């Protein structure tokens, strides 16, 4: 027994230490090893590894006789702030992290256990792609991962972290996750690499230009958060997990109440100009609204004309969607609508209440937007809000015009509580635009059209856009002092906490994707 125990101890140490020369090459690229990443992500000494002795059974060039333990992925479970998560970390030092049948089977097991126990699953991606020598078995392994991601969608939170190459079919795994993180400089993600692109199209493009963090963070919208280094990236993953429920049957973790129900904030009135055409930063409003001014903002770089955030109000986790007047005047375009729709659906799937801050002049006009499908993308946001059954609170800060007002969780599509500031302007369009349409002939015939336009616009605004107009008709529940915004929202959330909604019996709807 003593000899067996010693042999076992030496083998385990060999497995954990891996190949020192390969680990050195990894660090020389500015990347941590898989086990170092797990140590950064998880609570100290909380990781329980599964199948460390797993080895491939393949035959072929450059794999015959080379059967390292773990098969290029470290899998298991640990805790983040004491809460259970399941995790796998691809190990680039073993076959370049390439995925074969054994490698995939370990990921399948981690995902199955996450679903069975109702725990978040986190994947750390750093892989050269499918292991060519294993052919269709590697492709079958990817398919098993994708199928499980779809099964887990809306059941447990799924977080993907891209820390190195993620090419070919492997890129679909981050695309299916709820949140995807990526590190600048070392991470890249694409379906076909630069060499293939050049061979097929003649276009010469670098790895970063094709699928770097900036591309997916700012242009494609595939990546949720971009970080400069692995340490800050994994720390941010820990922060995100602290805001998420473990599964769709449990509430998000609460912190002690902060007295928000009686917390007046006069600074609200200072942050938002009365003039409807003056810009301001909605994030400053968000900081006043939420506990300690702290929030997690997915897709900060993509479609910045709408802001989405996870935060706490009086200790309760909420999802906040707000128009950003400092970018494109806060209009909704196709990317902003798509971004907000996905966020709303995530919050609804996991029982996170929604707070919508409205200051929107409309949808972005133009042939490019129309041809690119702004109607379809706007319908996605409309659909997401309409099907959401979580508590929903709308706060109208200033402008709320036309169809954009409707899709920003208006009373007509089911918000539970609609609040408005005295600066609210709810209408089909602004006063001047309405006058130009309604009195086109009178203005054309007038000797002083500008004076007449001003008079008519003032009269229209006074009659149809005064602060109480919508409230008098039951489309706004209350017109509040801006200083009372935090307290009014906190009271509304408390009032709606036990909301229950039974939807119609159906397999699923057909969202306009």
């Amino acid at each position: 027994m003593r000899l067996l125990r010693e042999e076992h101890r030496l083998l385990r140490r060999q497995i954990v230490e891996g190949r020192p020369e390969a680990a050195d090459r990894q660090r020389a690229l500015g990347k941590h090893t898989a086990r170092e990443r797990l140590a950064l992500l998880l609570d100290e000494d909380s990781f329980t590894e599964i199948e460390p002795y797993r080895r491939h059974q393949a035959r072929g060039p450059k794999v015959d006789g080379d059967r390292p333990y773990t098969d290029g992925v470290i899998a298991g479970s640990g805790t983040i702030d004491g809460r259970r998560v399941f995790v796998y970390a691809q190990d680039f030092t073993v076959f370049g992290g390439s995925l074969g049948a054994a490698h995939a089977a370990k990921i399948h097991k981690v995902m199955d256990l996450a679903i069975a126990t109702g725990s978040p699953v986190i994947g750390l991606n750093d892989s050269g792609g499918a292991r060519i020598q294993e052919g269709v078995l590697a492709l079958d392994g990817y398919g098993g991962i994708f199928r499980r991601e779809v099964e887990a969608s809306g059941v447990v939170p799924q977080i993907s972290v891209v820390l190195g190459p993620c090419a070919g079919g492997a890129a679909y795994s981050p695309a299916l996750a709820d949140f995807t993180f990526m590190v600048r400089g070392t991470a890249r993600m694409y379906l076909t690499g630069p060499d293939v692109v050049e061979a097929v199209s003649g276009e010469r493009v670098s790895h970063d230009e094709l699928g770097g963090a900036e591309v997916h963070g700012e242009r494609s919208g595939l990546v949720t958060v971009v970080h400069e280094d692995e340490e800050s990236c994994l720390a941010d993953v820990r922060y995100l997990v602290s805001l998420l429920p473990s599964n769709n049957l449990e509430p998000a973790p609460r912190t002690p109440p902060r007295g928000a129900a009686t917390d007046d904030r006069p600074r609200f009135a200072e942050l938002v100009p009365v003039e409807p055409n003056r810009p301001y930063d909605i994030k400053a409003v968000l900081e006043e609204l939420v506990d300690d001014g702290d929030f997690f903002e997915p897709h900060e770089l993509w479609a910045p004309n709408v802001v989405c955030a996870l935060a706490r109000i009086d200790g309760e986790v909420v999802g906040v969607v707000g128009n950003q007047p400092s970018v494109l005047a806060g209009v909704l375009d196709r990317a902003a609508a798509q971004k907000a729709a996905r966020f709303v659906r995530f919050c609804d799937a996991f029982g996170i209440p929604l707070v919508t801050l409205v200051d929107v002049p409309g949808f972005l006009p133009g042939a490019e937007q129309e041809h690119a499908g702004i109607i379809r993308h706007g319908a996605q946001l409309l659909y997401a809000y309409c099907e959401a059954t979580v508590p929903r609170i709308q706060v109208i800060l200033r402008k709320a015009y036309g169809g954009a007002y409707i899709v920003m969780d208006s009373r007509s599509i089911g918000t539970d509580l609609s609040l408005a500031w005295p600066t609210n302007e709810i209408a089909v369009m602004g006063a001047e635009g309405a006058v130009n349409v309604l009195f086109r002939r009178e203005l054309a015939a007038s000797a002083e059209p500008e004076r007449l336009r001003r008079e008519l616009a003032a009269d229209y605004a006074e009659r149809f856009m005064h602060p109480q107009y919508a409230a008098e008709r039951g489309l706004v529940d209350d017109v509040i002092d801006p200083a009372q915004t935090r307290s009014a929202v906190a009271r509304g959330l408390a009032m709606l906490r036990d909301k229950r909604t039974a939807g119609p019996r159906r397999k699923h709807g057909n969202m306009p994707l």
Side-chain angles (χ1 to χ4, degrees):
M1 178 61 74
R2 182 185 63 80
L3 181 60
L4 289 173
R5 290 178 66 194
E6 179 64 15
E7 289 177 348
H8 173 262
R9 185 185 66 81
L10 291 174
L11 179 57
R12 287 298 292 244
R13 187 173 72 180
Q14 175 189 339
I15 293 172
V16 170
E17 290 179 352
R19 302 174 177 180
E21 67 282 0
D24 290 341
R25 288 195 298 270
Q26 178 87 340
R27 297 187 188 101
L29 295 172
K31 298 158 61 177
H32 289 289
T33 66
R35 294 187 186 275
E36 289 169 346
R37 290 164 174 166
L38 290 173
L40 289 168
L41 176 65
L42 303 173
D43 296 338
E44 187 175 0
D45 295 328
S46 70
F47 182 59
T48 299
E49 187 172 355
I50 61 172
E51 298 192 3
Y53 299 103
R54 193 74 180 242
R55 306 165 84 179
H56 73 77
Q57 307 300 316
R59 294 290 182 269
K62 298 189 177 181
V63 293
D64 280 339
D66 188 6
R67 300 176 60 227
Y69 292 106
T70 75
D71 201 49
V73 63
I74 314 301
S77 177
T79 61
I80 293 178
D81 295 330
R83 299 173 61 222
R84 177 66 51 193
V85 298
F86 283 81
V87 61
Y88 64 88
Q90 293 180 313
D91 186 354
F92 198 79
T93 68
V94 177
F95 294 140
S98 61
L99 183 140
H103 182 123
K106 294 175 67 173
I107 297 176
H108 296 169
K109 183 166 186 176
V110 160
M111 299 183 75
D112 290 340
L113 290 173
I115 297 170
T117 61
S119 305
V121 59
I122 304 171
L124 307 184
N125 298 271
D126 188 2
S127 169
R131 194 172 300 164
I132 297 172
Q133 298 92 328
E134 298 199 32
V136 70
L137 291 177
L139 301 179
D140 180 69
Y142 275 127
I145 294 172
F146 305 153
R147 175 170 59 83
R148 286 168 173 82
E149 284 191 90
V150 174
E151 289 176 358
S153 181
V155 179
V156 296
Q158 300 180 79
I159 300 172
S160 185
V161 187
V162 183
L163 301 167
C166 184
Y172 286 115
S173 183
L176 289 169
D178 296 310
F179 298 92
T180 300
F181 293 72
M182 201 166 178
V183 175
R184 281 191 177 94
T186 56
R188 58 183 69 105
M189 181 165 43
Y190 37 63
L191 290 179
T192 53
D195 293 342
V196 176
V197 170
E198 183 177 2
V200 172
S201 68
E203 180 185 5
R204 302 189 66 179
V205 62
S206 70
H207 289 283
D208 282 339
E209 290 169 340
L210 184 62
E214 287 84 358
V215 170
H216 292 304
E218 299 177 21
R219 298 177 63 183
S220 75
L222 180 61
V223 170
T224 312
V225 184
V226 174
H227 278 279
E228 299 296 332
D229 54 68
E230 294 188 10
E231 291 84 357
S232 64
C233 179
L234 295 173
D236 208 25
V237 173
R238 287 178 60 90
Y239 176 49
L240 172 59
V241 170
S242 75
L243 294 168
L244 301 180
S246 293
N247 55 67
N248 65 326
L249 300 179
E250 296 182 10
R254 292 180 59 88
T255 58
R258 309 296 295 274
T262 57
D263 187 2
D264 285 357
R265 299 287 181 94
R267 188 164 179 265
F268 275 120
E270 302 170 4
L271 293 172
V272 180
V274 173
E275 299 83 0
N277 59 347
R278 284 185 57 192
Y280 63 92
D281 188 354
I282 194 66
K283 295 182 188 180
V285 176
L286 184 56
E287 289 174 357
E288 282 294 305
L289 178 65
V290 304
D291 296 350
D292 300 321
D294 290 334
F295 57 89
F296 174 86
E297 183 183 357
H299 296 298
E300 179 182 6
L301 304 176
W302 180 54
N305 43 318
V306 69
V307 171
C308 302
L310 289 169
R312 285 188 170 90
I313 296 178
D314 213 22
E316 181 178 0
V317 175
V318 298
V320 182
V321 178
N323 306 111
Q324 176 57 289
S326 67
V327 180
L328 297 176
V331 297
L332 288 175
D333 59 6
R334 58 191 179 87
Q338 188 177 32
K339 167 181 169 177
R342 180 165 175 79
F343 181 74
V344 166
R345 297 197 86 206
F346 172 83
C347 291
D348 185 53
F350 288 98
I352 298 173
L354 287 160
V355 178
T356 305
L357 306 178
V358 183
D359 190 348
V360 60
F363 282 93
L364 183 63
E368 189 276 334
Q369 286 289 313
E370 295 289 353
H371 297 169
I374 191 171
I375 297 173
R376 177 167 48 84
H377 288 92
Q380 290 172 5
L381 180 54
L382 180 64
Y383 193 105
Y385 270 123
C386 285
E387 74 170 353
T389 60
V390 294
R392 292 153 55 186
I393 297 177
Q394 178 197 49
V395 184
I396 303 170
L397 307 183
R398 291 194 312 188
K399 304 179 298 298
Y401 294 161
Y405 155 69
I406 299 173
V407 306
M408 288 297 291
D409 204 19
S410 64
R411 168 59 62 80
S412 59
I413 65 170
T415 196
D416 299 298
L417 183 64
S418 179
L419 307 173
W421 285 12
T423 46
N424 80 83
E425 293 183 356
I426 307 173
V428 174
M429 61 182 69
E432 287 197 9
V435 165
N436 289 336
V437 173
L438 294 172
F439 301 99
R440 182 175 64 254
R441 293 180 181 176
E442 290 85 343
L443 290 169
S446 173
E448 298 181 76
E450 289 305 318
R451 181 184 61 79
L452 179 60
R453 182 180 287 106
R454 288 195 299 270
E455 291 174 355
L456 291 172
D459 178 68
Y460 182 91
E462 183 178 352
R463 294 176 60 189
F464 301 109
M465 298 175 65
H466 61 79
Q468 285 75 41
Y469 186 85
E472 290 172 359
R473 289 153 179 80
L475 299 178
V476 166
D477 291 289
D478 196 7
V479 179
I480 62 172
D481 185 328
Q484 298 174 342
T485 304
R486 176 169 158 83
S487 59
V489 170
R491 289 171 182 268
L493 290 170
M495 178 179 72
L496 298 168
R497 187 165 294 138
D498 296 324
K499 176 186 175 184
R500 297 290 183 271
T501 301
R505 294 188 61 185
R506 60 182 177 181
K507 186 174 183 180
H508 58 72
N510 188 17
M511 190 178 192
L513 298 173

